[in-house]
C-alpha cells in the first residue's frame, strides 16, 4: 500500500492504487469526505454498507464451467472455462462489502468477460472490482443501475456500452479503469456517483447524459489524458475536483445552465485555454481554475463570489473585469498571475475598487488585496491602506520596491 500524500492547501494528493483490504478502502473514502468538506461519520457509513454475506461457489456438474452459484435472490452466476462470467435470472444482484465477499472472489484473475443477461436489473456494489483481466462487458437492456465500485480497477477493460435503460451509476463504479479510452453515458442516466471515472489514466473522451443536472465530486479527476468532454445542457453545478489534473484538457464548453463551479473543479488543467464562462455562473469555488492556461476570462453580471485561489497561477491571464454584482472575493484569488495587467472593478460595485495601476482594494481602499503580475518598478501604497493582504504582490517579478 502506498502512502497518501497531502498538499499545503489541505487537499489530499494523488490516490494510488491499493490492495484489496477493505480497511484501506474505507480509509480513502473517509479522507475523500474530508477533501470535499462533508462530515464523515464512520458509524453512519457502516449502517449503509451492504451486508450480504459471501455465498460460496458451487462445484459445477459440467466440465464447461469452473464454478457457479447464487448472486441475488433470483439471480445466479456461472464461470466458464474460458473466463466468461454470466449472470442470469431476474431482479438485482447482491451488493457486497468488497470483492473478497463476492462468491467468485477466488476466480477474479480468471474472469475475462462478464455477460449480464436479460431480466437482471442491477449490478451490485464491488461485484467485479479488481477483475484485472476483464476486457469485455455485455449489459442487457434490463439493467437500470450499476452499484458503487462495481467495475473499479478493472485495468484491462477497454470499452463498455451502457444501455439506454440505465438511470444510475454509483460512486467510483469505473474508478481506476486504466484501459478505458472513451465513455458515452446515455441520456437515460440522471445520476452519476462521486469519482465515477476518477483515475482512468487513458480516458480521452467523455460524453455525459443530457439529463444529468449535477457533475459529481471528482467525476473525472486525475484522468490525465482526457481531451474531449461533452456536458449536457441541464447541468447546474460542477462538483469539487470534477476534472482536476486533466492535463490534456484544452477546451470545454460549459452550458449557460451552470450556476456554480466547485473547489478545484478544473484545478491543474494546465492546457485549458479555450473556455467560455457563461453569465449564469454565480460562484467560483476555491482553486477552481488554479494552474490553468486561461488567457481571457470574462465574468457575467450574475457573479456573486470568487473563492480563494480561484484563478491563482493562471500565467497567461492578462486582464480581469470585476462586475458590480460581486460581493465576495477570497484570499489570493488572483495570486501569481504573472501576465495580469490589471484588475478593474465596475464603479458601481459596493464592495471593491481599483487604482490606476489595476490593483484591487476593498471599497474604502483600506485593504490592498491584489496587485497585477505586471506591476513594475516602485509602487507607493496609498495612505488610506491599513492592511496588505497575504500574497498581494506574489508573482510581481518586475516590482523593485514598495513604499509605505
Amino acid at each position: 500500500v502506498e502512502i497518501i500524500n497531502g498538499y499545503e492547501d489541505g487537499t489530499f494528493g494523488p490516490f494510488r492504487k491499493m490492495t484489496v483490504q477493505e480497511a484501506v478502502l474505507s480509509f480513502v473514502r473517509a479522507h475523500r469526505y474530508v477533501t470535499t468538506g462533508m462530515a464523515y461519520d464512520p458509524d453512519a457509513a457502516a449502517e449503509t454498507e451492504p451486508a450480504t454475506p459471501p455465498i460460496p461457489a458451487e462445484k459445477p456438474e459440467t466440465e464447461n464451467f469452473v464454478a457457479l452459484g447464487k448472486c441475488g435472490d433470483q439471480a445466479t452466476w456461472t464461470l466458464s472455462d474460458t473466463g466468461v462470467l454470466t449472470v442470469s435470472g431476474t431482479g438485482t444482484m447482491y451488493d457486497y462489502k468488497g470483492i473478497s465477499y463476492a462468491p467468485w472472489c477466488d476466480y477474479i484473475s480468471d474472469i475475462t468477460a462478464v455477460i449480464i443477461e436479460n431480466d437482471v436489473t442491477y449490478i451490485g456494489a464491488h461485484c467485479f472490482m479488481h477483475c484485472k483481466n476483464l476486457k469485455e462487458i455485455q449489459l442487457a437492456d434490463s439493467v437500470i443501475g450499476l452499484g458503487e465500485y462495481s467495475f473499479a480497477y478493472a485495468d484491462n477493460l477497454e470499452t463498455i456500452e451502457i444501455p439506454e435503460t440505465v438511470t444510475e451509476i454509483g460512486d467510483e463504479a469505473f474508478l481506476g479503469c486504466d484501459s478505458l479510452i472513451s465513455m458515452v453515458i446515455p441520456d437515460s442516466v440522471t445520476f452519476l456517483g462521486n469519482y465515477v471515472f476518477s483515475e482512468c489514466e487513458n480516458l480521452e473522451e467523455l460524453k455525459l447524459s443530457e439529463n444529468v443536472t449535477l457533475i459529481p465530486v471528482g467525476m473525472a479527476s486525475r484522468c490525465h489524458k482526457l481531451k474531449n468532454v461533452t456536458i449536457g445542457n441541464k447541468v447546474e453545478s460542477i462538483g469539487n475536483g470534477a476534472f482536476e489534473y486533466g492535463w490534456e484538457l484544452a477546451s470545454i464548453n460549459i452550458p449557460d445552465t451552470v450556476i456554480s463551479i466547485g473547489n478545484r473543479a478544473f484545478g491543474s488543467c494546465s492546457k485549458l485555454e479555450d473556455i467560455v464562462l457563461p453569465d449564469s455562473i454565480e460562484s467560483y469555488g476555491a482553486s477552481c481554475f488554479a494552474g490553468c492556461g486561461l488567457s481571457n476570462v470574462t465574468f457575467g453580471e450574475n457573479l456573486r463570489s470568487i473563492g480563494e485561489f480561484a484563478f491563482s497561477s493562471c500565467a497567461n491571464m492578462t486582464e480581469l473585469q470585476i462586475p458590480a454584482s460581486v460581493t465576495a472575493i477570497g484570499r489570493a484569488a488572483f495570486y501569481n498571475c504573472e501576465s495580469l495587467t490589471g484588475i478593474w472593478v465596475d464603479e458601481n460595485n459596493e464592495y471593491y475598487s481599483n487604482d490606476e495601476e489595476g490593483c484591487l482594494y476593498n471599497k474604502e481602499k483600506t485593504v490592498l488585496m491584489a496587485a497585477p503580475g505586471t506591476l513594475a518598478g516602485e509602487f507607493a501604497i496609498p495612505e488610506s491602506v491599513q492592511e496588505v493582504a497575504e500574497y498581494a504582490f506574489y508573482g510581481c517579478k518586475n516590482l523593485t520596491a514598495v513604499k509605505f
Side-chain angles (χ1 to χ4, degrees):
V1 177
E2 294 187 68
I3 294 173
I4 298 176
N5 296 314
Y7 287 117
E8 291 181 359
D9 63 1
T11 61
F12 285 82
F15 291 96
R16 302 299 182 190
K17 291 184 179 179
M18 293 170 279
T19 56
V20 191
Q21 288 98 327
E22 301 308 320
V24 178
L25 291 174
S26 297
F27 175 85
V28 171
R29 182 180 299 171
H31 284 73
R32 280 180 173 156
Y33 276 90
V34 172
T35 64
T36 57
M38 298 170 61
Y40 179 73
D41 183 347
D43 296 329
E47 293 176 4
T48 64
E49 289 285 356
T52 303
I55 300 175
E58 301 174 19
K59 292 183 178 180
E61 297 179 359
T62 172
E63 295 181 357
N64 294 329
F65 296 115
V66 175
L68 52 81
K70 189 175 182 180
C71 57
D73 289 345
Q74 302 296 327
T76 58
W77 66 278
T78 60
L79 178 63
S80 75
D81 53 10
T82 59
V84 179
L85 191 149
T86 302
V87 177
S88 56
T90 60
T92 64
M93 296 175 65
Y94 290 137
D95 283 328
Y96 299 103
K97 291 183 178 180
I99 186 60
S100 59
Y101 287 80
W104 46 79
C105 65
D106 292 334
Y107 305 96
I108 59 173
S109 62
D110 300 323
I111 299 171
T112 59
V114 169
I115 298 174
I116 308 297
E117 294 190 339
N118 279 324
D119 298 325
V120 176
T121 59
Y122 170 76
I123 299 174
H126 297 87
C127 270
F128 303 106
M129 183 179 184
H130 286 291
C131 290
K132 295 186 179 297
N133 293 314
L134 177 61
K135 294 183 179 180
E136 180 183 358
I137 300 171
Q138 296 180 22
L139 303 180
D141 289 343
S142 56
V143 175
I144 61 174
L146 308 181
E148 63 178 21
Y149 293 98
S150 49
F151 296 101
Y153 299 123
D155 289 350
N156 285 296
L157 180 62
E158 296 180 357
T159 183
I160 179 172
E161 184 175 344
I162 299 176
E164 293 282 350
T165 51
V166 172
T167 59
E168 296 187 6
I169 302 177
D171 292 354
E172 294 154 303
F174 296 97
L175 172 71
C177 290
D178 285 347
S179 296
L180 278 179
I181 296 174
S182 176
M183 281 295 298
V184 177
I185 310 303
D187 291 343
S188 57
V189 173
T190 58
F191 174 82
L192 292 171
N194 294 340
Y195 300 96
V196 62
F197 303 114
S198 180
E199 299 179 26
C200 292
E201 289 282 346
N202 292 295
L203 186 65
E204 296 182 3
E205 185 172 5
L206 177 60
K207 183 181 185 299
L208 299 179
S209 164
E210 285 287 341
N211 291 305
V212 168
T213 59
L214 169 66
I215 293 180
V217 170
M219 181 189 71
S221 60
R222 307 181 201 284
C223 294
H224 299 317
K225 296 183 180 179
L226 186 63
K227 296 178 180 178
N228 300 307
V229 177
T230 303
I231 299 176
N233 290 320
K234 294 183 180 179
V235 170
E236 297 177 357
S237 177
I238 298 177
N240 294 349
F243 299 99
E244 185 178 17
Y245 297 106
W247 293 335
E248 296 296 323
L249 188 64
S251 65
I252 189 169
N253 180 41
I254 298 179
D256 59 10
T257 53
V258 172
I259 297 173
S260 65
I261 297 180
N263 301 344
R264 294 202 62 82
F266 295 93
S268 299
C269 292
S270 55
K271 292 186 178 179
L272 184 58
E273 298 179 358
D274 184 10
I275 187 170
V276 176
L277 302 174
D279 290 347
S280 57
I281 295 177
E282 297 179 3
S283 66
Y284 291 101
S287 302
C288 59
F289 288 101
C292 289
L294 302 179
S295 55
N296 297 313
V297 174
T298 302
F299 295 136
E301 295 297 329
N302 290 309
L303 183 61
R304 298 289 183 268
S305 65
I306 301 172
E308 63 178 13
F309 296 96
F311 293 88
S312 61
S313 298
C314 290
N316 300 324
M317 193 162 59
T318 57
E319 188 175 86
L320 285 173
Q321 302 281 345
I322 307 297
S325 57
V326 172
T327 61
I329 298 176
R331 178 176 64 108
F334 312 113
Y335 141 97
N336 197 31
C337 294
E338 58 188 38
S339 300
L340 190 60
T341 60
I343 305 169
W344 310 106
V345 182
D346 189 300
E347 61 181 12
N348 293 317
N349 188 292
E350 298 179 0
Y351 298 88
Y352 301 100
S353 60
N354 63 265
D355 63 16
E356 63 277 4
E357 300 285 353
C359 294
L360 177 67
Y361 302 82
N362 64 343
K363 189 66 174 180
E364 297 77 17
K365 284 191 169 65
T366 58
V367 179
L368 172 56
M369 299 178 62
T374 58
L375 189 66
E378 294 184 354
F379 177 75
I381 295 179
E383 293 182 2
S384 61
V385 171
Q386 301 173 10
E387 176 186 348
V388 177
E390 186 179 10
Y391 304 115
F393 294 102
Y394 198 101
C396 298
K397 296 180 179 180
N398 295 315
L399 185 64
T400 59
V402 175
K403 294 183 178 181
F404 293 87

